Amino acid sequence: MSVDAWIAVAVTLGCLGALALTRIAADLIMIAGLTVLLVLGVLSPAEALAGFANPGVLTIAALYVVAAGLRETGAVNVLVRYLFGRPSNVAVAQLRMMLPATFLSAFMNNTPVVATFLPAVQDWAKRQQISLSKLMIPLSYAAILGGTCTLIGTSTNLIVDGLLISRAHSPGFGFFQLTILGVPYAIVGLAYIIIAGRWL
């Protein structure tokens, strides 16, 4: 391997170690790694900044703004009050929480959906005297399952779409092209969590 390749491997391992062993914010660690590669000449400025011009990355950034808007306007609290309600048991609580999270995740991107729901779900669980440990993983999985249903539902879909357009000279995915596979997966996944979750 070339010297540049060894430097890239060392920076990658350094970033992974910093992510695993420190409390430094992940975005700072990633930017620091990118800066090191840029300063050492492993990447050209155009290569270093190419990811920021990717339409998928820009779409993800825009969806974080939408999620922040929902949180700051109190829309999520209204959703929690009317849709989550007063469940009779943990399975009903999980279902009431997962259905809206899955639906929103199909149209908003799963990471900001989870970030938006977390404080509201914590308050709701406390009011309903439900163990938070019974809700956090189902919330995350529901958002992941919802994200498989549309093009913008998950960062992975957007990145792959961007690669298809730039590398394969393809028109990319249609917005609902993944729905035919995503919806059945989401239904089966939610059913599995509700049915098997009590033993996991």
Side-chain angles (χ1 to χ4, degrees):
M1 284 197 314
S2 66
V3 174
D4 284 354
W6 283 112
I7 293 172
V9 169
V11 169
T12 302
L13 292 176
C15 287
L16 289 173
L19 288 168
L21 303 173
T22 71
R23 293 178 179 264
I24 301 170
D27 53 346
L28 293 178
I29 293 170
M30 294 295 120
I31 291 294
L34 181 63
T35 304
V36 169
L37 293 175
L38 183 60
V39 169
L40 294 178
V42 176
L43 295 175
S44 68
E47 290 170 332
L49 300 175
F52 295 108
N54 186 302
V57 174
L58 296 175
T59 304
I60 293 164
L63 291 169
Y64 271 99
V65 174
V66 172
L70 287 173
R71 185 173 61 249
E72 296 302 321
T73 59
V76 173
N77 292 328
V78 172
L79 185 73
V80 167
R81 189 161 50 248
Y82 289 107
L83 290 183
F84 288 15
R86 298 175 62 84
S88 55
N89 57 52
V90 173
V92 173
Q94 290 172 338
L95 186 63
R96 285 188 172 187
M97 176 196 64
M98 289 191 301
L99 287 177
T102 303
F103 179 79
L104 281 177
S105 183
F107 299 99
M108 268 186 56
N109 193 282
N110 51 28
T111 307
V113 165
V114 172
T116 302
F117 266 68
L118 272 176
V121 169
Q122 286 174 327
D123 291 343
W124 178 65
K126 191 180 296 184
R127 285 197 311 271
Q128 302 303 320
Q129 297 182 331
I130 299 170
S131 172
L132 201 55
S133 64
K134 303 286 187 186
L135 300 176
M136 290 293 101
I137 292 295
L139 172 62
S140 177
Y141 285 177
I144 291 168
L145 291 166
T148 64
C149 296
T150 63
L151 175 62
I152 66 168
T154 179
S155 311
T156 310
N157 293 352
L158 288 166
I159 299 301
V160 171
D161 183 63
L163 288 173
L164 270 176
I165 293 168
S166 63
R167 304 268 175 91
H169 307 293
S170 162
F173 294 121
F175 190 85
F176 290 108
Q177 189 171 345
L178 304 171
T179 306
I180 193 168
L181 295 174
V183 169
Y185 290 154
I187 291 169
V188 170
L190 292 177
Y192 178 76
I193 293 167
I194 294 297
I195 293 167
R198 70 189 69 184
W199 295 292
L200 298 177

